[in-house]
């Protein structure tokens, strides 16, 4: 019933009964329970219809909200999404985390999270989810972040919870590319239920969605697109291997190849990112050549992925959303040449409307989605109420 109410069309009790096959009486008593738990609100009855008017039902924006925090290589971000899926607060801050000890970065991320919480004093935040640029296992433990020295074997969500001084009912940590892909699925609603969302940052990540659900692999540690080898003789990567995609198509590699101001550790990558986009738009030949090489490498790596798992759609996100006009043609060429199924089932190539904010948005929405999927797990008192209500 809650799932039906979470849809886009504000259904009435009668419509939910029609969709779920439950009786109107059962739906009404379940809706009363959901209203009582503060998860659902009933609007004014819709006049002008034949028969007794029904009240359109909505998720209650005063219900349990989610706090998302993203710790990336060159910025932190914090976002709050309420129970109705609306963004209520957004903060982000550029800083190069490669030169700071993890404790200091966690302090900064917590300060940003606190500012977001303070910006919405009336909102009950039930959960915290953290996006990080590294390998996170199924228990939410960050095993390794190749671009963040010293970040190994850390329970990042617990560290932040302790710094925020709040006990969250839901607490999780996930790879930023996974959370960006979930945000794409929940907020941008791509046509296909099978897609890969590519997060272009200093690292290059992929979130693979198969039949509407995130593909996690056996350990949760896969989908490391940035470490697919594209040039056996290429430069040494932060992961230790040689010729990884990230060393051609990652943001820092791009800035370096385009002759930009960044490249040295500690330089302002936020400004370098803007400068890169500006140079590309102004038609700087060195920048366009670097982007062309990056697009070709990205296309080759993605073609390997499509040949293996057969997704039907690829969505470019992160910095690639801004750079799409300068790389998408080369990506498409590589896919056309290398994907064997191309003649019968061409891959759709698109650009994410969410840009760099996708991962933190997905993080903030994660606690809300957990509650929507299984409200009784988080509000067990509902069971008692519904048993009494019949
Ligand atoms: Zn690598």
């Amino acid at each position: 019933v809650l799932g039906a109410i979470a849809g886009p069309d504000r259904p009435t009790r009668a419509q939910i009964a029609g969709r779920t096959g439950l009786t109107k009486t059962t739906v009404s008593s379940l809706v009363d329970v959901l209203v009582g738990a503060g998860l659902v609100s009933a609007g004014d009855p819709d006049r002008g219809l034949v028969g007794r008017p029904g009240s359109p039902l909505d998720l209650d924006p005063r219900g349990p909200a989610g706090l998302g925090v993203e710790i990336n290589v060159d910025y932190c971000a914090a976002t709050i999404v309420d129970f109705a899926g609306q963004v209520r607060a957004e903060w982000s801050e550029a800083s190069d985390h490669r030169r700071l000890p993890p404790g200091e970065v966690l302090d900064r991320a917590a300060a940003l999270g606190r500012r977001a919480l303070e910006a919405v004093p009336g909102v009950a935040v039930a959960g915290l989810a953290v996006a990080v640029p590294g390998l996170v296992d199924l228990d939410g433990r960050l095993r390794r972040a190749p671009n963040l020295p010293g970040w190994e074997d850390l329970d990042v969500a617990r560290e932040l919870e302790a710094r925020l001084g709040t006990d969250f009912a839901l607490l999780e940590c996930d790879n930023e590319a996974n959370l960006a892909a979930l945000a794409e699925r929940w907020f941008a609603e791509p046509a296909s239920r099978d897609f890969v969302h590519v997060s272009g940052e200093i690292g290059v990540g992929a979130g693979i969605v198969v039949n509407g659900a995130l593909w996690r692999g056996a350990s949760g540690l896969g989908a490391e697109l940035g470490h697919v080898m594209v040039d056996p003789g290429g430069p040494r990567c932060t992961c230790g291997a040689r010729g990884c995609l990230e060393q051609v198509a990652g943001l820092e590699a791009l800035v370096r190849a385009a002759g930009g101001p960044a490249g040295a550790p500690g330089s302002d990558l936020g400004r370098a990112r803007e400068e890169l986009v500006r140079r590309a738009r102004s038609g700087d030949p060195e920048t366009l050549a670097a982007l062309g090489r990056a697009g070709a490498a990205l296309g080759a790596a993605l073609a390997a992925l499509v040949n293996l798992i057969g997704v039907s759609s690829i969505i470019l996100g992160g910095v690639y959303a801004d750079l799409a006009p300068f790389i998408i043609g080369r990506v498409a060429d590589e896919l056309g040449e290398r994907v064997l199924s191309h003649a019968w089932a061409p891959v759709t190539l698109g650009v994410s409307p969410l840009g760099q904010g996708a991962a933190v948005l997905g993080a903030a929405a994660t606690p809300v989605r957990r509650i929507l999927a299984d409200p009784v797990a988080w509000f067990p008192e509902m069971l008692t109420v519904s048993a009494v209500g019949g």
Side-chain angles (χ1 to χ4, degrees):
V1 168
L2 189 58
I5 296 169
D9 64 340
R10 310 180 76 219
T12 62
R13 289 166 177 83
Q15 286 167 330
I16 295 169
R19 286 176 205 176
T20 57
L22 299 167
T23 66
K24 273 202 224 173
T25 318
T26 304
V27 170
S28 282
S29 74
L30 288 173
V31 167
D32 289 346
V33 170
L34 292 168
V35 170
L39 303 183
V40 165
S41 61
D44 290 331
D46 198 357
R47 302 276 167 204
L49 293 171
V50 179
R52 190 162 153 260
S55 300
L57 300 167
D58 271 321
L59 297 178
D60 193 331
R62 297 162 299 178
L67 167 63
V69 173
E70 180 180 6
I71 298 172
N72 216 311
V73 182
D74 57 333
Y75 65 91
C76 275
T79 292
I80 289 178
V81 166
D82 70 21
F83 195 61
Q86 297 299 312
V87 172
R88 299 291 291 272
E90 275 181 297
W91 300 90
S92 76
E93 204 168 71
S95 53
D96 192 338
H97 298 149
R98 291 168 298 184
R99 294 164 64 82
L100 296 172
E104 197 170 318
V105 176
L106 286 162
D107 288 344
R108 290 183 181 200
L112 214 57
R114 201 170 297 115
R115 269 161 69 185
L117 289 171
E118 285 166 3
V120 288
V123 176
V125 176
L128 164 69
V130 189
V132 289
L135 280 67
V136 180
D137 67 19
L138 294 173
D139 295 325
R141 204 167 179 85
L142 175 65
R143 291 297 176 188
R144 183 185 181 192
N147 288 304
L148 285 176
W151 289 71
E152 272 173 34
D153 202 22
L154 267 176
D155 192 337
V156 181
R158 282 245 175 270
E159 294 280 346
L160 274 183
E161 186 190 40
R163 282 168 171 80
L164 286 166
T166 312
D167 279 334
F168 293 101
L170 297 97
L171 193 60
E172 28 191 311
C173 178
D174 203 346
N175 174 271
E176 48 96 19
N178 282 350
L179 290 166
L182 287 173
E184 192 72 30
R185 168 114 177 84
W186 295 332
F187 290 89
E189 296 176 4
S192 174
R193 289 168 59 82
D194 298 272
F195 66 88
V196 174
H197 179 277
V198 184
S199 296
E201 298 298 335
I202 289 177
V204 178
I208 302 171
V209 173
V210 177
N211 198 22
L214 195 65
W215 177 87
R216 292 185 178 277
S219 57
L221 304 173
E224 285 295 329
L225 183 68
H227 301 281
V228 168
M229 192 267 286
V230 291
D231 175 9
R236 185 76 66 187
C237 180
T238 50
C239 73
R242 216 171 247 296
C244 295
L245 173 65
E246 217 161 277
Q247 295 306 311
V248 184
L251 175 63
E252 195 175 28
L254 268 174
V255 168
R256 211 183 296 126
S267 52
D268 187 340
L269 278 162
R271 272 182 48 201
R273 172 195 297 256
E274 287 164 20
E275 174 68 10
L276 182 71
V277 176
R278 194 194 61 73
R279 282 185 187 212
R281 287 183 182 150
S282 71
D284 174 60
E286 205 179 349
T287 303
L288 294 179
L291 289 170
R293 287 192 297 274
L298 181 60
L302 285 168
L305 197 150
V306 176
N307 277 332
L308 286 171
I309 62 169
V311 290
S312 58
S313 172
I314 291 168
I315 300 163
L316 301 179
V319 73
Y320 295 147
D322 291 330
L323 295 170
F326 315 104
I327 61 170
I328 203 163
R330 295 297 296 271
V331 175
D333 288 349
E334 293 294 327
L335 290 171
E337 190 179 322
R338 295 174 187 275
V339 172
L340 268 69
S341 59
H342 189 74
W344 308 280
V347 180
T348 314
L349 189 55
V351 178
S352 171
L354 304 174
Q356 207 190 350
V360 71
L361 182 63
T366 289
V368 171
R369 291 281 169 164
R370 293 263 182 262
I371 295 169
L372 282 175
D374 191 358
V376 178
W378 306 104
F379 298 88
E381 63 277 11
M382 276 187 188
L383 277 179
T384 331
V385 178
S386 57
V388 170

